[in-house]
Amino acid sequence: MKSIKPLLVLIITVCTVTIIIPAILAIPSLKNESGRALSESGETTKHTGLDISRLEQSDLEVAVYRTASKKVETVPLEKYIAGVVASEMPTTFELEALKAQALTARTYIVNQLLRGKSSGLPSGAQVDDTVQYQVFKNETELRTQWGSDYEANMNKIAQAVLETEGQILTYDGNPITATFFSNGNGYTENAEALWKDAYPYLKSVASPWDEQAPQFEERISIPIKDFENKLGVNLKSSETVGKIVERTPGKRVAKVDINGKQFTGIQIREMLNLRSTDFSWVMQGDAVIITTRGYGHGVGMSQWGANGMAKDGKTYDEIVKHYYQGIEIASAESLTQQIVANK
């Protein structure tokens, strides 16, 4: 009887190994069947089976005046959003940043179509393809621009658009004015510092990711004579360029005094063609050396800030809710139906 016991243990062990090992080996394939697969890095990625043709499926269309051909091109809503995102934000940016850009683009055009008025456009057009509204490029233009990278780039853009399909940004139930810019000086700006109206969701917030942008700082040299001519001032009797007397909530120049003549930061930026209104300057020999920080008006979402947040693991909803204070992400369905009904 003593010799039977070891034999019994051996049989049980063999059976156990025979059952458990195949079960363990089967686990990855079970995960694959559920719609997820393991990449080479071990991270899981969704097999979305992205269908780009969904961009064409919309009851609402946007009539875009093409400034080059001087013709009106009618584009399904989500395909229009894709053309805007592809034109307004680098495709190298993180997917979550591209999703945030898709939300700003969709919110803007829904707002525009609800207003129904477009000044300076030919009959039948609702927007044009420039920064006056939103930059837009169609498939032909993007194929020319991207070449062999077209499929990969468009798949990424389409994913950003379709994974936010029908979503817009609202405040108190209404679409917001979803302004954005390239990158800031480390902060965004209050709307009223730039325009006459204040918006509760367009308030200055920290944006430290802006420093990741190329040319976050730019230095230019302007001959003193050119500086004087452009601003109508005289620097010859002064050892300094001027004094900054007031700053905005976004830490940009609000007012500056140059030998008793006052300018706003916006005026200086426009007259000297500066990248932003956060600037400093010194006289150096026969030139004025001007250093700017950031690029753009600074109100709303910083694109480079959005990309930095995405790199830090933030999702698109976290990004937009940081740059647009107190807003909600909502469905645009009822509004788009209203626009279609009013046509």
Side-chain angles (χ1 to χ4, degrees):
M1 295 295 291
K2 290 182 180 180
S3 61
I4 295 175
K5 194 168 185 180
L7 181 60
L8 182 60
V9 171
L10 178 61
I11 292 171
I12 292 172
T13 301
V14 171
C15 292
T16 301
V17 170
T18 302
I19 294 170
I20 291 176
I21 289 180
I24 292 173
L25 293 175
I27 290 175
S29 65
L30 290 174
K31 287 186 177 180
N32 289 342
E33 289 169 6
S34 70
R36 301 184 71 84
L38 290 173
S39 67
E40 290 180 355
S41 65
E43 296 176 351
T44 59
T45 56
K46 289 183 180 179
H47 283 296
T48 57
L50 192 67
D51 180 9
I52 294 182
S53 67
R54 280 173 51 200
L55 295 174
E56 307 271 1
Q57 300 166 11
S58 175
D59 293 332
L60 180 59
E61 294 181 321
V62 182
V64 187
Y65 177 64
R66 307 312 311 276
T67 52
S69 65
K70 301 195 182 306
K71 295 180 180 179
V72 176
E73 181 178 345
T74 303
V75 189
L77 175 63
E78 297 301 333
K79 189 173 183 180
Y80 170 77
I81 302 304
V84 171
V85 175
S87 306
E88 292 279 15
M89 180 174 273
T91 55
T92 54
F93 274 20
E94 298 291 317
L95 180 63
E96 295 301 307
L98 291 166
K99 289 182 183 180
Q101 187 73 57
L103 280 178
T104 68
R106 192 179 295 107
T107 303
Y108 175 88
I109 193 60
V110 167
N111 239 337
Q112 180 67 22
L113 297 181
L114 282 172
R115 285 196 293 265
K117 293 182 179 180
S118 303
S119 60
L121 293 177
S123 177
Q126 296 164 312
V127 292
D128 69 23
D129 56 8
T130 72
V131 294
Q132 182 69 27
Y133 294 91
Q134 296 188 111
V135 180
F136 168 82
K137 293 178 182 177
N138 62 20
E139 180 180 337
T140 300
E141 292 165 314
L142 292 173
R143 283 188 180 277
T144 300
Q145 177 181 321
W146 291 336
S148 60
D149 292 328
Y150 175 82
E151 299 296 337
N153 287 348
M154 183 47 68
N155 280 338
K156 187 175 182 182
I157 296 295
Q159 184 177 355
V161 173
L162 293 174
E163 289 187 2
T164 62
E165 187 174 3
Q167 297 177 4
I168 60 171
L169 307 175
T170 64
Y171 186 89
D172 281 347
N174 298 310
I176 71 168
T177 299
T179 57
F180 61 90
F181 58 98
S182 177
N183 66 281
N185 62 341
Y187 297 87
T188 66
E189 187 60 274
N190 281 20
E192 65 269 23
L194 188 68
W195 305 304
K196 64 179 181 178
D197 294 326
Y199 295 82
Y201 48 84
L202 294 177
K203 296 297 183 183
S204 179
V205 297
S207 186
W209 310 275
D210 291 331
E211 295 186 19
Q212 300 172 12
Q215 297 180 320
F216 167 68
E217 284 192 353
E218 181 185 71
R219 294 184 70 199
I220 62 171
S221 175
I222 301 178
I224 288 178
K225 185 176 180 181
D226 290 348
F227 185 94
E228 292 176 326
N229 289 339
K230 288 179 180 180
L231 299 185
V233 297
N234 189 330
L235 301 181
K236 292 178 182 177
S237 60
S238 175
E239 295 181 356
T240 61
V241 179
K243 181 181 179 182
I244 295 172
V245 296
E246 185 181 333
R247 286 192 176 271
T248 67
K251 306 187 187 306
R252 293 163 174 79
V253 175
K255 292 180 182 178
V256 62
D257 185 289
I258 303 177
N259 289 344
K261 188 173 182 178
Q262 288 206 342
F263 300 87
T264 66
I266 295 171
Q267 288 173 326
I268 294 292
R269 183 191 178 197
E270 291 174 349
M271 291 177 174
L272 300 181
N273 195 28
L274 303 181
R275 290 168 62 89
S276 81
T277 54
D278 184 358
F279 56 82
S280 58
W281 46 29
V282 295
M283 292 181 67
Q284 196 172 93
D286 294 330
V288 177
I289 309 301
I290 304 177
T291 302
T292 57
R293 288 162 56 92
Y295 183 33
H297 54 63
V299 179
M301 184 182 76
S302 163
Q303 292 177 309
W304 280 89
N307 196 49
M309 289 187 70
K311 284 183 176 181
D312 284 349
K314 302 299 183 183
T315 58
Y316 75 95
D317 55 319
E318 292 175 304
I319 293 170
V320 295
K321 288 180 180 179
H322 173 73
Y323 285 109
Y324 306 106
Q325 295 287 290
I327 59 97
E328 298 293 336
I329 297 175
S331 170
E333 184 176 1
S334 63
L335 296 178
T336 56
Q337 287 177 351
Q338 177 183 331
I339 295 168
V340 172
N342 289 339
K343 277 192 172 183

